[in-house]
Amino acid sequence: MQYVIPIGIGVLYALLMSLIREPHRRRFNAVMLAGAGAAYLSGGGLQGWEFAFTALVTYVAYRGLDSWTFIGIGWLLHTAWDIVHHIKGSPLIPFAHDSSLGCAICDPVIALWCLRGGSTLRDLFRGKRPVVIGTASGTAGGRGSGSEEVRVRT
């Protein structure tokens, strides 16, 4: 069960997130990734490396505000960090020894959903993938190059 439940949590996360409309879904997931990147800070199991990892994931999450690919990469980075913490014996939740292992199983499920474009529940079951058809200028907040991916479902 310790391997099945984290997969179910990852699937449930994707299903619940698919209820949020774009572009809010992508931006909300970028914020979630940034929060996950800071999850190990309070434990300090890897001392200064915790700050370096948090800075890296914060940058990736920032880029994820306009890109599902960056969000997926961020979840894969977090998976690697979970594995390091599990091996080192410094779990995410101090009183739950295998919590980092569970997170390392759950995170790739979320990453796959993100790398697939953060599809809606309907599109997930229909097997449809978003298609990038171009860019729209004038991204709010002055992020990046001033363009944002425009996706349509086919």
Side-chain angles (χ1 to χ4, degrees), residues 15-128:
L15 292 176
L16 290 175
M17 289 299 114
S18 73
L19 299 175
I20 301 172
R21 291 185 180 265
E22 278 289 1
H24 306 294
R25 181 181 333 122
R26 184 186 60 246
R27 293 180 181 146
F28 184 78
N29 276 277
V31 171
M32 292 293 288
L33 172 62
Y40 286 104
L41 272 179
S42 64
L46 297 174
Q47 292 102 22
W49 290 108
E50 302 289 3
F51 293 104
F53 178 76
T54 300
L56 173 64
V57 173
T58 300
Y59 171 75
V60 172
Y62 173 76
R63 295 293 307 269
L65 289 170
D66 293 322
S67 169
W68 280 108
T69 302
F70 274 97
I71 298 171
I73 290 168
W75 283 112
L76 292 176
L77 288 170
H78 196 267
T79 299
W81 205 238
D82 292 328
I83 293 168
V84 169
H85 275 268
H86 180 69
I87 291 169
K88 184 163 174 32
S90 178
L92 176 62
I93 303 170
F95 56 84
H97 177 58
D98 289 335
S99 58
S100 291
L101 175 63
C103 200
I105 296 168
C106 176
D107 290 352
V109 175
I110 298 170
L112 289 173
W113 174 70
C114 293
L115 291 170
R116 198 169 189 281
S119 301
T120 64
L121 177 61
R122 177 185 301 154
D123 291 342
L124 282 172
F125 286 115
R126 289 185 181 170
K128 293 184 179 181

